[in-house]
DNA sequence: ACATTGCCATAACGCTTGTTATGTGAATGG
DNA sequence: CCATTCACATAACAAGCGTTATGGCAATGT
């Protein structure tokens, strides 16, 4: 079911997987969209309420939260696959799109708190926590996508290694003189 | 066309957008998949052969390459939207999946060369160029996705700012003693 | 000027889709 | 113990899909 993609997701396929028929589905869901919405909600609830890592406070807590996102286990791979596949539909529907944007912003807020805590402990250099949290989210998001496309190149160990390298660069103090920050990004 | 998503992509819709009918399409493409494949190839060729930024060597060149990926213009937004939407189909089809993985690895190689050049110039600290390139790719990839979902929160200026902040952290030397690299990532 | 070929619109076909209607056996309640 | 309701399978439906004929018009070659 997680393997056939959103495009090939049909009521009859779902029913067959359940060992039932379309009658069951239409009995409980008024429409297909309702079913999909419920399924995505269920996926989200499950990922929220599943056991989370908790190895420490501050930077360790931030690392835990990021590790919880990565496709390190078969179930996490499935979840992330469904999640990425849903982006097509989400980007097509403005309502869904804003909903996704809100959820991602919430996720950034959660990370931001942990960043701030790590800063308070002196484990991270000062700087806008929201900014740093956003960067961490981007990094993990990109890693998720790449790991889904090429699991052989990004086994769990490599994913953790890459994440830790990223966190290591964060712990180092930035040198504000090296980069040209005033360039507006033109110059093509 | 870029706005209706892969799911709602139909031969008749494409034909209508072209001011033609399905007859034209079937005359030039044996099947719908061939058309989609051609369209994606065309998109790739266009993004490859479009004018690229070139503001300097070393770190600036790396920055240029990353800026070229970001959805900073309406056309780049459309390209990225189509691209992200195609992930659903790509993840469902193993052949497409490996093809995508290969392309992303190629992209990382290109970035890796620029990282190495920047290191030679002393603009980036030593370390595996492929590793650093991968991190940069992840960051940009995640930023792309977020910018697509929430363009208001990530206008071009903010995207450039976030990227530059990321590059700034790269330029700083990492402190290998702060992070626990031996933790295999467990502890749930 | 005529035959021929290529381009593409038109129309039809078979199939699958989401949805709706109908039936049926089991559970439930008085 | 019967009536009623519920849960679901079965079947049918219109709509839309990709694909496949078919036909005509224009360009081309002789």
């Amino acid at each position: 079911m997680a393997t056939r993609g959103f495009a090939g997701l049909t009521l009859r396929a779902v029913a067959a997987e359940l060992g039932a028929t379309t009658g069951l589905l239409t009995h409980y869901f008024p429409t297909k969209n309702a079913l999909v919405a419920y399924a995505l909600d269920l996926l989200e609830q499950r990922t929220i309420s599943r056991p989370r890592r908790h190895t420490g406070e501050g930077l360790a807590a931030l690392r835990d939260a990021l590790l919880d996102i990565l496709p390190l286990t078969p179930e996490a791979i499935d979840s992330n696959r469904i999640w990425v596949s849903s982006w097509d539909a989400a980007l097509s529907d403005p309502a869904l799109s804003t909903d996704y944007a809100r959820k991602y912003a919430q996720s950034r807020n959660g990370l931001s708190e942990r960043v701030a805590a790590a800063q308070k402990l002196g484990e991270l250099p000062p700087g806008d926590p929201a900014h740093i949290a956003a960067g961490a989210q981007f990094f993990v998001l990109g890693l998720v996508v790449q790991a889904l496309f090429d699991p052989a190149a990004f086994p769990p160990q490599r994913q953790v290694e890459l994440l830790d390298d990223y966190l290591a660069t964060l712990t180092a103090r930035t040198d504000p003189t090296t980069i040209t920050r005033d360039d507006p990004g033109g110059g093509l």
Side-chain angles (χ1 to χ4, degrees), chain A:
Chain A
M1 189 54 40
T3 159
R4 246 190 296 233
F6 250 64
L9 190 67
T10 166
L11 288 187
R12 285 166 177 85
V14 175
E17 195 92 358
L18 256 67
T21 65
T22 66
L24 186 151
L25 297 177
T26 61
H27 185 70
Y28 287 102
F29 300 97
T31 173
K32 184 195 176 183
N33 273 346
L35 190 158
V36 172
Y38 172 79
L40 288 178
D41 249 41
L42 188 71
L43 178 69
E44 188 190 358
Q45 295 305 324
R46 273 197 200 168
T47 33
I48 284 179
S49 64
R50 76 178 167 191
R52 313 287 280 264
R53 276 171 248 262
H54 182 69
T55 64
E57 302 302 316
L59 186 61
L62 175 64
R63 181 175 181 268
D64 286 341
L66 297 174
L67 283 175
D68 276 331
I69 300 175
L70 291 179
L72 299 174
T73 69
E75 307 89 54
I77 291 178
D78 282 351
S79 295
N80 276 309
R81 249 188 58 62
I82 296 173
W83 179 45
V84 171
S85 288
S86 75
W87 286 348
D88 176 36
L91 283 172
S92 310
D93 181 4
L96 261 180
S97 203
T98 60
D99 198 46
Y100 271 51
R102 191 181 43 76
K103 286 177 185 171
Y104 286 124
Q106 263 185 312
S107 162
R108 278 194 295 275
N109 282 341
L111 295 176
S112 192
E113 291 177 17
R114 306 197 178 208
V115 168
Q119 287 176 328
K120 217 165 225 169
L121 293 174
E123 294 174 324
L124 281 180
D128 183 6
H131 221 76
I132 299 174
Q137 189 194 39
F138 301 157
F139 180 90
V140 169
L141 216 71
L143 177 50
V144 166
V145 172
Q146 291 303 318
L148 289 179
F149 273 117
D150 203 343
F154 299 99
Q157 184 203 337
R158 179 112 206 278
Q159 295 183 43
V160 176
E161 185 188 334
L162 284 161
L163 173 61
D164 280 334
D165 269 15
Y166 174 76
L167 291 176
T169 67
L170 282 186
T171 59
R173 194 164 261 291
T174 69
D175 177 359
T177 64
T178 2
I179 270 275
T180 66
R181 279 289 299 284
D182 310 289
D183 188 328
L188 59 128

